[in-house]
């Protein structure tokens, strides 16, 4: 990429990764203080799962909006708008006095994330060449996960204290919102869109992002054409299908902090376990992306698929060992930590190794944000049911009773009930995810060739237009 650089690294890439850091920190904020929120509003796991459901469901429904906005506006402006929106809602959650207020602001939070995440992904896809996109997305996952660790650890540790008479979890929300607002402002001021850098003339930049395209009718017609083009790609359909079930375990994992505290771990020990898993997952994202890039050189059309299937399959034995084999006692901290590190390293490959790089290859560059947006729309909407289902299974099937929980020492029976609900929503979806990748062996090669032909045709059309303008 061209543009400003710091120590040889593009300033735009640095700020985009900082936005990813704050996005992941924001995602981990509420799950890290589920126990305190449960006590503050007198609700159980099912209601807490409802908060995750509301945010994810709205995020899924609103994700296509990112694809439409990016067709007609610079991505830095779109990213800044979404970041400021989620920052506002995060601060409002910290100030909420009623449970329904929290639910409302979580929905607004989902709307902001819906705008940001697809734009981030397409920005990275445009910033790296085809042979190293897995590493690029893995690096984004690694750095973003640092934010997840920071958000989770800070919130979990602060939740055990009061600051100026205010519960620590509320202060954590306001503090995170302030940092997010700052990053959003910096993105707007200093990030340069790689597609506009590739075409320095103002007239050409406008053509690339759809400005000056005419009436609002033409804008919506262009957006509708892009939507239809994306949803007809069979590779997109298959990856979305696996994502519908593959995202369920990761959504269910929002209960990990609560589960550890029910076992009897204090805030610091729970935060440490969460950090260990986040470190493993973030490193695994980069590891998976790098391995897939290497394997793809040997098997161009199947290497990424094989890596993704291996990662998804390994989620089954890891979930079984973590949730049913390890004794649920504070004396098992080291065993939990080691298991979580290796689990994170192995089960986190799919996005960076396969999904994100393959999406970038099966549509023309101008439709990349749209394909990421629709992927989020389908996956996040469906996975939003996982968190409430964990709560319902734990309460209705395994007998979880929020009234039996000791605020200081937790509850062995409730920890057992929650772990069984988690296992049901992790092991089976991991297996189905592995199976659903199989059709890609037959669709990916054809779709990639079609996308290359479409890009070549677009280039042939664009060149005469550029000469005419000169």
């Amino acid at each position: 990429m061209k543009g400003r650089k710091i120590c040889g690294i593009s300033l735009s890439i640095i700020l985009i990764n900082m936005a990813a850091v704050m996005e992941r920190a924001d995602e981990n904020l509420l799950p890290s203080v589920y126990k305190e929120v449960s006590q503050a509003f007198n609700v159980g796991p099912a209601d807490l799962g409802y908060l995750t459901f509301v945010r994810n469901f709205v995020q899924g429904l609103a994700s296509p909006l990112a694809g439409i906005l990016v067709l007609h506006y610079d991505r830095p402006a779109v990213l800044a708008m979404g970041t400021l929106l989620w920052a506002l809602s995060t601060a409002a959650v910290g100030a909420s006095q009623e449970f329904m207020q929290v639910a409302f602001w979580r929905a607004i939070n989902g709307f902001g994330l819906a705008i940001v995440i697809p734009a981030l992904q397409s920005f990275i896809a445009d910033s790296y060449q085809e042979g190293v996109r897995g590493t690029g997305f893995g690096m984004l996952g690694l750095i973003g996960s640092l934010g997840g660790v920071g958000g989770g650890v800070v919130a979990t540790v602060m939740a055990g204290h009061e600051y100026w008479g205010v519960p620590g979890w509320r202060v954590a929300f306001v503090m995170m919102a302030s940092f997010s607002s700052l990053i959003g402002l910096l993105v707007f001021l200093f990030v340069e869109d790689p597609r506009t850098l590739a075409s320095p003339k103002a007239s050409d930049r406008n053509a690339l992002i759809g400005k000056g395209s005419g009436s609002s009718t033409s804008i919506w017609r262009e957006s509708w054409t892009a939507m239809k083009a994306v949803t007809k790609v069979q590779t997109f359909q298959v990856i979305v299908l696996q994502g519908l079930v593959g995202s369920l375990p990761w959504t269910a994992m929002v209960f990990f902090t609560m589960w550890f505290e029910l076992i009897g771990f204090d805030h610091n020990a729970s935060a440490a376990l969460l950090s260990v898993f986040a470190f493993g997952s973030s490193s695994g994202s980069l590891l998976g992306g790098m391995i897939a890039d290497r394997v793809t050189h040997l098997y161009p059309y199947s290497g990424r698929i094989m890596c993704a299937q291996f990662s998804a399959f390994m989620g089954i034995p890891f979930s079984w060992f973590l949730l049913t084999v390890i004794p649920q006692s504070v004396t098992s901290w080291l065993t939990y930590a080691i298991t979580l590190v290796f689990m994170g390293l192995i089960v986190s490959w799919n996005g960076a190794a396969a999904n994100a790089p393959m999406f970038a290859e099966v549509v023309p560059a101008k439709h990349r944000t749209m394909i990421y947006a629709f992927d989020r729309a389908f996956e996040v909407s469906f996975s939003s049911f996982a968190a409430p289902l964990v709560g319902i299974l734990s309460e209705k099937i395994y007998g979880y009773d929020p009234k039996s929980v000791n605020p200081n020492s937790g509850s062995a029976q409730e920890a057992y009930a929650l772990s069984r609900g988690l296992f049901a929503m992790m092991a089976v979806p991991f297996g189905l995810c592995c199976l659903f990748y199989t059709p890609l062996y037959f669709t990916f090669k054809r779709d990639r060739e079609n996308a290359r032909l479409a890009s070549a045709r677009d280039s042939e059309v664009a060149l005469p237009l550029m000469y005419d303008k000169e």
Side-chain angles (χ1 to χ4, degrees):
M1 285 185 60
K2 299 178 182 178
R4 302 178 182 89
K5 292 188 176 182
I6 297 177
C7 298
I9 303 174
S10 165
L11 177 61
S12 295
I13 288 292
I14 293 173
L15 290 176
I16 285 297
N17 280 279
M18 287 301 298
V21 166
M22 299 312 302
E23 178 263 316
R24 292 293 294 274
D26 187 87
E27 283 189 351
N28 284 4
L29 204 54
L30 184 63
S32 300
V33 295
Y34 265 170
K35 184 180 176 183
E36 287 69 29
V37 173
S38 174
Q39 295 167 2
F41 298 102
N42 193 29
V43 295
D47 291 316
L48 295 174
Y50 172 73
L51 294 178
T52 300
F53 166 79
V54 167
R55 189 200 67 184
N56 287 359
F57 191 70
V58 171
Q59 181 181 341
L61 290 180
S63 287
L65 179 61
I68 296 172
L69 290 172
V70 169
L71 280 175
H72 308 290
Y73 300 97
D74 284 327
R75 275 177 291 196
V78 175
L79 286 167
M81 178 176 62
T83 302
L84 292 174
L85 188 59
W86 101 51
L88 170 66
S89 61
T90 298
V93 168
S96 296
Q97 300 300 316
E98 301 290 339
F99 182 77
M100 290 309 297
Q101 292 176 353
V102 177
F104 172 79
W105 287 111
R106 291 297 285 175
I108 302 300
N109 186 265
F111 191 82
L113 292 174
I115 297 173
V116 169
I117 295 176
L120 277 174
Q121 291 176 314
S122 67
F123 194 103
I124 294 298
D126 288 348
S127 301
Y128 290 87
Q129 295 181 348
E130 184 177 304
V132 293
R133 280 205 185 102
T135 302
F137 280 105
M139 185 61 69
L140 181 72
L142 171 63
I143 296 174
S145 293
L146 295 177
V149 173
V153 171
V154 169
T156 304
V157 173
M158 291 181 67
H161 306 276
E162 284 194 358
Y163 302 87
W164 310 287
V166 179
W169 71 269
R170 294 184 182 273
V171 177
F173 272 74
V174 175
M175 182 178 70
M176 201 66 66
S178 301
F179 284 126
S180 296
S181 299
L182 176 61
I183 294 299
L185 179 61
L186 293 176
V187 166
F188 179 74
L189 293 175
F190 298 111
V191 168
E192 297 174 284
D193 197 319
R195 64 184 178 185
T196 58
L197 287 171
S199 181
K201 290 187 177 182
S203 58
D204 296 336
R205 290 199 302 269
N206 291 343
L208 279 168
I209 61 177
K211 291 179 181 177
S213 57
S215 66
S216 60
T217 302
S218 65
I219 291 174
W220 286 105
R221 185 184 300 116
E222 182 182 352
S223 300
W224 177 247
T225 300
M227 291 179 192
K228 290 194 296 182
V230 164
T231 54
K232 286 181 180 178
V233 177
Q234 288 189 328
T235 295
F236 166 77
Q237 296 169 1
V238 173
I239 293 180
V240 167
L241 176 62
Q242 68 77 30
L244 294 180
V245 293
S247 56
L248 292 176
W250 295 95
T251 306
M253 290 177 197
V254 299
F255 281 104
F256 271 5
T257 301
M258 185 177 186
W259 176 50
F260 293 140
E261 292 179 349
L262 287 171
I263 291 173
F265 295 114
D266 61 21
H267 286 90
N268 293 338
S270 299
L273 287 174
L274 203 65
S275 302
V276 162
F277 181 63
F279 171 78
S281 299
S282 58
S283 302
S285 179
L286 178 58
L287 176 66
M290 295 173 65
I291 290 175
D293 285 345
R294 294 291 183 89
V295 175
T296 299
H297 288 303
L298 300 175
Y299 306 100
Y301 301 108
S302 60
R304 296 193 184 280
I305 306 167
M306 291 188 290
C307 291
Q309 286 188 304
F310 169 77
S311 179
F313 176 80
M314 291 303 295
I316 301 173
F318 274 115
S319 299
W320 168 74
F321 187 77
L322 176 73
L323 295 164
T324 68
V325 176
I326 301 176
Q328 297 190 20
S329 166
V330 293
T331 60
S332 302
W333 189 93
L334 183 60
T335 307
Y336 277 121
I338 295 172
T339 302
L340 288 167
V341 167
F342 284 102
M343 180 177 178
L345 279 172
I346 301 301
V347 306
S348 58
W349 294 9
N350 297 43
N355 298 4
M358 291 172 74
F359 277 149
E361 295 178 31
V362 297
V363 294
K366 64 181 180 180
H367 290 164
R368 281 175 182 161
T369 301
M370 189 67 77
I371 198 169
Y372 291 120
F374 268 87
D375 174 57
R376 298 297 299 178
F378 289 112
E379 287 193 22
V380 175
S381 296
F382 189 80
S383 68
S384 61
F385 292 96
L389 281 175
V390 170
I392 292 170
L393 286 171
S394 302
E395 292 184 25
K396 305 300 182 182
I397 305 298
Y398 298 107
Y400 183 98
D401 182 6
K403 297 180 180 178
S404 301
V405 178
N406 186 305
N408 297 317
S409 61
S411 169
Q413 178 58 38
E414 275 53 57
Y416 173 86
L418 185 56
S419 70
R420 293 310 183 268
L422 280 167
F423 181 66
M425 291 307 299
M426 288 176 63
V428 175
F430 271 131
L432 292 175
C433 174
C434 175
L435 178 65
F436 289 168
Y437 269 111
T438 305
L440 291 178
Y441 291 108
F442 308 99
T443 65
F444 176 59
K445 180 178 180 180
R446 181 183 66 249
D447 289 337
R448 189 168 81 162
E449 295 303 322
N450 290 340
R452 287 179 173 178
L453 289 174
S455 296
R457 287 195 299 268
D458 289 343
S459 298
E460 291 173 359
V461 172
L463 282 173
L465 291 176
M466 290 174 64
Y467 288 127
D468 290 343
K469 289 173 184 177
E470 293 177 354

